[in-house]
Amino acid sequence: MLAAAALLALAGCDGGDLISYDLPSKPARYTFEAQTDTVRTVWEYTSAKATTDDAPELSPCIGDVVGSNTAPCRPEPLIFLCYGFGLDLDNTVRAGRKHQVTVVAYYQERLTAPPKVTSLTAESSFDGGRTWHPAATKSGGRNTYTTTIDNPRRDLAAKGVGLRISAADSQGNTVTQTIPVAYTLR
């Protein structure tokens, strides 16, 4: 742990740069939003104050590493999404054809008892997100889904194809991720 604290110090983290928060003891519903460049992600989940540590020794809570917080901690049950876009070598997809995108929903490795992802839906946009069209989605097993996008002619999606993916799990936690331009057409 000392090495991790030294690494954080070298990176400019002195403990004041780290964010931590205390949750009430009763479970409540929370919304957490993040935007990276143009990709927007919204998580909704239920959580409460940790009563026991649920952080593996090899992946401790940051408060344990820097010594700023000794309260019990655990990761939150946020659903993350990983994409297999199946792009050609020029990072495009052929227009006017169906195209499959693989989406894998997962949790932080530190979450010792992750819930089961129970649904995933997909929508596509060809006009920069002004309108959205449902896309066929099918489960491929263990939190893996395949969605089929019906790509239009290139001139009908000149700026590219946008995706909006929504997933839910067995504990009612959800994620919606909007990617305004997931790929372009040729």
Side-chain angles (χ1 to χ4, degrees):
M1 283 198 203
L2 194 51
L7 184 60
L8 286 170
L10 288 173
C13 296
D14 61 6
D17 296 325
L18 303 175
I19 298 171
S20 66
Y21 51 90
D22 291 321
L23 296 175
S25 57
K26 289 187 177 184
R29 191 83 174 150
Y30 295 94
T31 300
F32 178 59
E33 297 182 31
Q35 183 147 348
T36 305
D37 296 323
T38 60
V39 177
R40 182 171 185 259
T41 308
V42 178
W43 292 273
E44 291 187 4
Y45 61 100
T46 301
S47 191
K49 185 175 198 152
T51 56
T52 59
D53 274 327
D54 190 9
E57 190 175 317
L58 294 177
S59 187
C61 291
I62 199 70
D64 295 337
V65 174
V66 298
S68 63
N69 187 356
T70 58
C73 72
R74 66 164 185 287
E76 296 299 336
L78 303 178
I79 304 168
F80 294 93
L81 302 171
C82 178
Y83 300 91
F85 288 109
L87 303 176
D88 287 336
L89 292 176
D90 62 354
N91 287 328
T92 65
V93 171
R94 188 176 293 273
R97 293 188 179 174
K98 292 183 184 300
H99 181 72
Q100 291 188 335
V101 175
T102 301
V103 184
V104 178
Y106 67 97
Y107 298 87
Q108 296 180 65
E109 288 181 19
R110 293 178 47 223
L111 197 61
T112 57
K116 181 181 183 338
V117 175
T118 56
S119 68
L120 186 134
T121 59
E123 298 170 280
S124 58
S125 177
F126 311 115
D127 59 9
R130 287 191 304 276
T131 58
W132 293 93
H133 312 278
T137 304
K138 127 178 135 166
S139 177
R142 185 137 173 89
N143 298 345
T144 301
Y145 296 82
T146 301
T147 186
T148 302
I149 310 299
D150 214 353
N151 290 328
R153 295 186 330 248
R154 188 175 186 283
D155 64 317
L156 297 176
K159 293 185 180 178
V161 175
L163 286 180
R164 182 164 57 196
I165 306 294
S166 298
D169 69 22
S170 58
Q171 294 180 357
N173 304 309
T174 64
V175 63
T176 299
Q177 189 165 69
T178 305
I179 308 170
V181 180
Y183 57 86
T184 55
L185 300 175
R186 69 169 187 291

